[in-house]
Amino acid sequence: MKALFPEIRPYMTTMLPVLDGHQLYVECSGTQSGIPVLVIHGGPGAGCSDKMRRFFDPERYNIIVFDQRGAGRSTPHASIEHNTPSHILDDIEVLRKHLGISRWVLFGGSFGATLALLYAQQFSKHVCGLILRGVFLGRQQDLDWLYKNGAGRFFPEEWQLFLEPLQSNDKANVIDQYYQILQGDNDLARVAAAKAWARWEAANSSFRPNQSSKDYFTATHVALALSCISSHYFKNKCFLDENQILDNIAKIADIPGHIVHGRYDMVCPPEQAYILSEHWPLAKLNIVREGGHSAFDNAMLDALICVTNDFAKQLGAPETEA
């Protein structure tokens, strides 16, 4: 079973100005002349952790991590203004040009996988490969699974806790009700709702109960960004046409990809990964038997590091001696 690569420090960090008054936290680690890989976090609004740079051999990869608009260390914090997938794709292009990169690998999980697919479909000439984990296609049925009539049947006690901040007896429109609280003026209610939203996300993420994951997600700074930005996206159906990603899959037909998905992913059921692989012949699908949604489940972590090592070989970076 493979483990994360050892802790490393970035060789560069910066705040990158983009349009509409947003600034993005960006860091680069590993080897500057290595294979460029862009880490695209999920949520929306979850932000990056230091562990995310450790999925890659630092002697073979140039590891680029950034916090999307409103997330993590980017500013303004938790902002939903000018915050859509189109804005984020434009930001990624600004970042690519800023770093002088011609082509890169995209490493995206959950909503980060959504963004990686959207970027590759729009800017295919700049993508040499995709590594996707916990695929989220952004369809109505995918939202309904987590926020209406799916995951709550597996975690009924957590679902009741998730519903507690809502004042209405109408549970059919949970996302809209959360959005109203999170964009309201009552700061105490906003924080309570943010933590409940984040707790629900954490409860569904790991194959086994994981207190450190729950602590990370429910910390006020992370919870506010995650809940405000996610509810904004989900209220607007992720700003995507229904089935948009699958309808445009021909645009990435020539791009190689690896899809790693947990068999017991309760955030994004594996049907999404399977149907994506059926539409995308160059993608290799690995449904991990003891995996959940989290990249840090032991079996998921092992599978992802195997993929990053294999991709490095495919792209001409030989394995370094221990």
Side-chain angles (χ1 to χ4, degrees), residues 67-197:
D67 288 326
Q68 296 156 27
R69 292 185 175 211
R73 290 151 285 192
S74 293
T75 60
H77 177 252
S79 173
I80 63 172
E81 296 297 321
H82 306 287
N83 197 337
T84 69
S86 293
H87 289 103
I88 297 175
L89 300 190
D90 288 343
D91 292 346
I92 292 173
E93 267 297 273
V94 171
L95 175 57
R96 184 188 64 78
K97 293 173 182 176
H98 175 76
L99 296 175
I101 292 169
S102 175
R103 300 177 76 221
W104 49 10
V105 176
L106 305 181
F107 180 92
S110 193
F111 185 71
T114 316
L115 291 171
L117 288 161
L118 292 171
Y119 178 89
Q121 289 176 348
Q122 186 171 340
F123 301 104
S124 59
K125 67 181 181 180
H126 298 308
V127 179
C128 54
L130 292 165
I131 302 171
L132 307 178
R133 185 267 312 163
V135 170
F136 174 66
L137 296 176
R139 303 166 299 178
Q140 186 62 52
Q141 69 193 70
D142 306 323
L143 292 171
D144 288 347
W145 167 265
L146 193 57
Y147 296 107
K148 185 173 287 187
N149 56 13
R153 288 180 285 168
F154 290 85
F155 295 95
E157 74 288 6
E158 293 289 350
W159 179 246
Q160 287 305 311
L161 290 172
F162 178 60
L163 296 177
E164 279 185 2
L166 307 182
Q167 301 301 314
S168 170
N169 291 324
D170 175 17
K171 306 307 180 188
N173 239 331
V174 169
I175 293 171
D176 286 352
Q177 291 181 66
Y178 259 98
Y179 178 86
Q180 294 301 323
I181 297 170
L182 291 163
Q183 298 305 317
D185 296 328
N186 185 329
D187 287 342
L188 289 176
R190 289 181 71 241
V191 171
K195 288 178 176 287
W197 181 287

Side-chain angles (χ1 to χ4, degrees), residues 199 202 206 208-218:
R199 179 190 171 103
S206 298
R208 292 183 173 86
N210 188 322
Q211 187 61 44
S212 64
S213 174
K214 185 178 292 186
D215 291 344
Y216 172 81
F217 277 112
T218 58

